[in-house]
Structure formats: C-alpha cells, structure tokens
Amino acid sequence: MTHLSLLKPTGHLTLGNHLGALRPMREQAVDDVCFYGVADLHALTVAHDPARLRILVREMTTLLLAVGLEPATLFVQSHVPAHSELAYLLECTAHTGELNRMIQFKEKGRSNPATRASLYTYPVLMAADILLYRAARVPVGDDQRQHVELTRDLALRFNREYGEVFTVPEIVTPAAGARVMDLQYPTTKMGKSHENGAGIVYLLDPPDVVRRKVARAVTDSDTGPDAVRRDRATKPGVTNLVDILEACGGSAEGITSYGALKAAVTDAVVDELAPVQRRYAELAADPGRVDSVFAAGAARCREVTAPVLEAARIAIGLG
Ligand code: AMP
C-alpha cells in the first residue's frame, strides 16, 4: 500500500508532530511504500518571509532524516514540478462554487481582499498531491476531511469527463496517535504555528529549555495522593503530562506530586529527543548528505508521478 504525507514548513517541528505524526510515519515506512514530503508550496499561501522559509525547509528536511524516516522516499514538494502542473489541470476541473465552500478559506481568508489567491486554490494543489501518487486510502483528521472529499469529487469528475485517469482515494480515519496538548493551554493542540511558544516543546529544544517549559506547565490545585491521574475534562494539564510521559516510554505509576510528575516528564522527553538531536547535529554538519537523499527522493517522485501527469495531460487534450 502507498502512503503519502506532507508536512508544511510553517514553523519548527514540535513534540506533538513527533509523537503524533513522525513516529507513526517511521513505523509505517518499515512495511509500506511511503512518500513523505515537505510541502513548501503550501507554505506560500499566507504572508511569508523567503529567508525564513528556506531555513525552515532546511531544518525540516534535516529533521525528517534525523528521526529516521529514510526508508521512505523523502522529497520537497517544489522539486517535483508535477505537483503544480497537475494542480493547474485540476483547477480547470474544479468549480468556484465548491472552493467557496471550503471552511478553511471561509474562516481564514474570504473576508480579506489581500488574501492570496493560492489560499483559495490550495485544496486543489492538495488534490494534486494525493492523486499523483495514486494513494488508495487517505487518513485524514477532521480539519482536512473536506479537502479530501474535494479530491474525490475532482478525481471522479475528471475521470467522468475525460477518461479514467485517477485512482479515487478512500477516506479513512487515522489510527489514533498520541495527541499532545499545549503545556500552557492544555485544551488546545500543541501546534507549530501557535503564537506563544511557552507551552510548546520543539524537537530541537535543548534539555534545559524542555525542563523550563515542563516546569511551567499548567496543572491544577488538586493535592493528595490521587492528584496525578487522567481526567481530560477536569484535569487537562495533568492528563496531558501523563499522556506525554507514557508516549515517551515512562509511567506515572507511584507518582503522587506534580513536581515529581514534571521531573519524570522532563527526563522522558529529553531521552526521547536526545537521539534525534544527536543525529540532527551530525546531519546539520553534513548538509550534502541531506541534499543527496532529497535529490534522490525527488527523482523517484518525478518518475512515479510522470505517468499520472502524462495521462491527465493527454486526457484533457494537451497531448
Ligand atoms: P501540523 O503541524 O498541524 O501541520 O501537523 C502535521 C502533522 O503533525 C499532522 O499529522 C498532525 O496530526 C500532527 N500533529 C500536529 N500537532 C500535533 C499534536 N499536538 N499532537 C499530535 N499530533 C500532532
């Protein structure tokens, strides 16, 4: 089975990305054919700084290698021009009516006349990302479900109007991975684009920074022997710390104070991140190695996607 996953380089990767996405991706890459990409084109849909984007892409490519995703085909989206080429053909298949209905555009851009046109069309680029690799099943969280439904609609319409070119992907619910919450706002997800980084542990945070962030994590005023327990509704901060501890291989068994819990979480997170940071440092000193892995990945992607793009071009009347 083919898996495709793209990560948007709009911020530094977090512990949430690691436990919720990168670790499961690493496991998947052992058994399945996986294409993992850095979605640099998608990072251009909102105001951006070219120099920062370059830095974030470099950091992300290095980190994907550092966490051990190399059994997969690793690539940078813009190095595979088929993504933007197919996106245009699909824009000629999509209707403005359906793009107007995209919730993310409605919420994030429609009311602002300076919104980039690419924010309006990015669900079509996402459809191209998926359809190029003939992914049969696409695991998506709720926030992306509408976009994958659009992908299906576009594939079905294209196939009906111009001939059977695309595999219509089935939408599947992702296996429940760890969901890491912000240490300061434990009812919201730890996200790389969050404005205030005090509750976010980044993959490259050194141990003393991890310690400080965890030490300041929001808990509650419970005391007593059973204060350390999971209860997402009434104890979101403590629940999150216990979840992180277990996801990093530790256990809250026998821990009764928040101080001890935080110390255990710090140790477990530092241990989880140490090998990634060690490998990152080695790779950062050898950027040619990262470049060659990603060059080979892009070459493989160009090879795999060429027949799909060519079939679409011919079907629509360009060849
Ligand atoms: P994002 O950083 O939101 O673009 O997400 C990239 C990937 O990381 C997606 O697969 C997300 O589901 C996953 N992810 C992001 N933040 C978290 C989090 N706090 N906990 C678990 N998974 C996350």
Side-chain angles (χ1 to χ4, degrees):
M1 180 140 65
T2 298
H3 290 275
L4 172 79
S5 201
L6 294 183
L7 293 161
K8 213 161 49 164
T10 45
H12 303 290
L13 286 170
T14 71
L15 181 66
N17 293 129
H18 182 60
L19 300 178
L22 301 176
R23 259 188 3 187
M25 283 160 70
R26 183 172 65 198
E27 280 160 31
Q28 196 142 53
V30 175
D31 300 322
D32 288 323
V33 177
C34 293
F35 294 88
Y36 296 149
V38 176
D40 54 350
L41 297 175
H42 286 289
L44 301 180
T45 56
V46 290
H48 78 287
D49 169 13
R52 177 173 149 84
L53 176 63
R54 220 168 273 126
I55 289 167
L56 288 174
V57 169
R58 162 67 56 193
E59 182 183 293
M60 196 175 265
T61 53
T62 310
L63 266 173
L64 295 189
L65 271 187
V67 298
L69 296 185
E70 207 174 332
T73 298
L74 300 176
F75 68 104
V76 175
Q77 187 188 24
S78 70
H79 298 175
V80 186
H83 286 254
S84 22
E85 290 173 42
L86 183 62
Y88 182 72
L89 301 188
L90 293 175
E91 277 178 27
C92 299
T93 308
H95 299 161
T96 53
E98 57 199 352
L99 297 187
N100 285 336
R101 283 196 298 276
M102 294 294 122
I103 294 161
Q104 299 212 1
F105 174 68
K106 281 206 273 193
E107 286 176 355
K108 289 193 195 155
R110 195 160 67 181
S111 57
N112 178 0
T115 293
R116 294 185 178 182
S118 55
L119 186 71
Y120 183 62
T121 55
Y122 99 86
V124 183
L125 177 59
M126 193 175 147
D129 298 334
I130 295 168
L131 297 177
L132 275 173
Y133 294 84
R134 296 199 181 285
R137 294 150 62 88
V138 179
V140 276
D142 285 342
D143 58 336
Q144 291 298 326
R145 192 179 176 89
Q146 198 192 23
H147 294 153
V148 184
E149 278 164 4
L150 176 74
T151 303
R152 286 174 52 85
D153 290 345
L154 295 180
L156 286 165
R157 188 177 307 145
F158 191 103
N159 286 350
R160 196 172 55 237
E161 290 183 9
Y162 306 118
E164 287 290 323
V165 168
F166 298 120
T167 301
V168 181
E170 192 190 327
I171 300 176
V172 295
T173 309
R179 188 150 189 266
V180 182
M181 311 307 275
D182 191 287
L183 299 177
Q184 290 296 318
Y185 308 97
T187 53
T188 59
K189 211 172 81 163
M190 184 184 283
K192 60 176 147 43
S193 321
H194 208 287
E195 312 241 311
N196 174 358
I200 304 171
V201 175
Y202 294 103
L203 244 57
L204 294 176
D205 277 348
D208 58 317
V209 174
V210 174
R211 179 163 293 104
R212 195 171 65 234
K213 288 177 175 173
V214 174
R216 291 184 187 160
V218 168
T219 52
D220 51 54
S221 53
D222 279 359
T223 49
D226 68 342
V228 176
R229 67 188 150 81
R230 280 197 178 90
D231 185 335
R232 195 163 289 287
T234 62
K235 297 168 70 67
V238 173
T239 302
N240 189 35
L241 289 173
V242 173
D243 284 348
I244 293 172
L245 179 58
E246 290 191 358
C248 293
S251 162
E253 270 298 297
I255 296 181
T256 53
S257 78
Y258 292 162
L261 175 64
K262 287 176 171 180
V265 169
T266 301
D267 290 345
V269 171
V270 167
D271 285 352
E272 177 70 31
L273 300 186
V276 176
Q277 296 183 355
R278 216 168 22 244
R279 186 88 185 101
Y280 181 88
E282 287 164 17
L283 290 163
D286 186 8
R289 157 114 177 85
V290 178
D291 289 343
S292 73
V293 169
F294 277 80
R300 168 98 184 107
C301 289
R302 286 194 291 268
E303 195 180 291
V304 165
T305 59
V308 180
L309 177 64
E310 187 57 12
R313 280 173 47 86
I314 291 171
I316 209 168
L318 296 179

